[in-house]
């Protein structure tokens, strides 16, 4: 299978659970791509190159990030007659309407080439799952998305509020907070915290 792991940052030394999951998929013979918002080149790759790494927000080649994004925005708007450009603009504007800036920056950063098709896209943490969803809506990535929510996703209320209301009812922020918060509280009580 072609599997993508969608991560906000890679590598993050404290997220050994993510690296173990990726390594497990590689060991099972899957073709794994890590799609990351930011690839930290100052940290050694804990997978030693066993997975392809694609940075959504690649190096701007020495130009300022704002100038780079303005140039990409102009290209996107000039191509607005094409269905692909309209789809990307619509997805980015939906993200802005939902109060999230990252999707429009991601859409502009990825550009025309897209990220490819995958049999499964596994996003770790809610914000990464939301970003992957907007990129899929923009036609820049394809495949089913599974988002793994972690403790931070359900305990940081400002983060939970950014999850768009457009998500299906089981994933709507009110439901995430209510159900997962109860589970977290019950587990904390059980552990005597």
């Amino acid at each position: 299978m072609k599997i993508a792991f969608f991560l906000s940052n890679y590598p993050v030394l404290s997220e050994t659970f993510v690296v173990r999951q990726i390594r497990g998929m590689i060991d099972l013979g899957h073709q794994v791509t890590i799609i990351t918002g930011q690839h930290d080149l100052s940290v050694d790759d804990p997978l030693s190159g066993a997975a392809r790494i694609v940075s959504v927000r690649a190096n701007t080649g020495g130009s300022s990030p704002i100038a780079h994004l303005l140039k990409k925005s102009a290209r996107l708007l000039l191509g607005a007659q094409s269905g692909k450009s309209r789809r990307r603009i619509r997805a980015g504007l939906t993200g802005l309407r939902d109060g999230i800036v990252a999707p429009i920056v991601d859409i502009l950063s990825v550009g025309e080439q897209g990220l490819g098709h995958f049999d499964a896209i596994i996003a770790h943490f809610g914000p990464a799952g939301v970003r992957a969803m907007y990129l899929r809506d923009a036609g820049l990535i394809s495949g089913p998305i599974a988002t793994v929510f972690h403790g931070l996703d359900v305990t940081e209320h400002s983060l939970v509020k950014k999850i768009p209301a457009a998500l299906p009812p089981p994933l709507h922020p009110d439901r995430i907070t209510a159900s997962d918060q109860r589970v977290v509280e019950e587990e904390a009580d059980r552990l005597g915290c």
Side-chain angles (χ1 to χ4, degrees):
M1 286 179 68
K2 282 182 65 177
I3 299 173
F5 281 85
F6 199 100
L7 311 169
S8 294
N9 298 293
Y10 180 82
V12 177
L13 296 179
S14 63
E15 294 177 3
T16 55
F17 52 94
V18 175
V19 173
R20 281 194 311 268
Q21 186 181 39
I22 295 169
R23 186 175 307 283
M25 292 297 174
I26 293 167
D27 291 347
L28 289 171
H30 299 293
Q31 181 183 350
V32 175
T33 298
I34 298 168
I35 300 171
T36 179
Q38 304 261 328
H39 183 194
D40 187 349
L41 297 173
S42 69
V43 177
D44 288 339
D45 177 7
L47 297 169
S48 304
R52 182 174 149 243
I53 301 171
V54 177
S55 182
V56 171
R57 298 188 189 172
N59 190 321
T60 60
S63 67
S64 85
I66 292 177
H68 182 71
L69 289 175
L70 286 173
K71 185 175 164 184
K72 293 224 174 201
S73 299
R75 276 195 209 133
L76 184 64
L77 291 172
L78 289 172
Q81 288 77 22
S82 80
K84 285 182 178 181
S85 289
R86 284 194 305 274
R87 181 177 180 182
R88 291 174 183 152
I89 291 168
R90 188 170 39 255
L93 291 175
T94 300
L96 289 174
R97 184 198 67 214
D98 292 338
I100 308 171
V101 177
I104 193 75
V105 176
D106 289 346
I107 290 165
L108 291 171
S109 297
V110 169
E112 292 295 316
Q113 75 276 9
L115 297 166
H117 172 77
F118 299 92
D119 298 311
I121 302 165
I122 302 167
H124 274 276
F125 295 96
V130 170
R131 289 170 70 180
M133 179 189 76
Y134 283 113
L135 286 169
R136 186 178 63 188
D137 290 349
L140 294 168
I141 192 171
S142 65
I145 300 170
T147 300
V148 180
F149 291 89
H150 299 278
L152 178 68
D153 293 315
V154 295
T155 57
E156 182 65 41
H157 291 286
S158 63
L159 190 61
V160 171
K161 286 179 183 177
K162 288 187 175 185
I163 297 174
L167 290 175
L171 297 180
H172 189 272
D174 292 336
R175 291 195 176 216
I176 291 171
T177 303
S179 64
D180 288 344
Q181 188 172 358
R182 188 188 84 255
V183 170
V184 170
E185 288 170 357
E186 288 172 359
E187 185 64 13
D189 285 343
R190 188 183 74 70
L191 295 171
C193 298

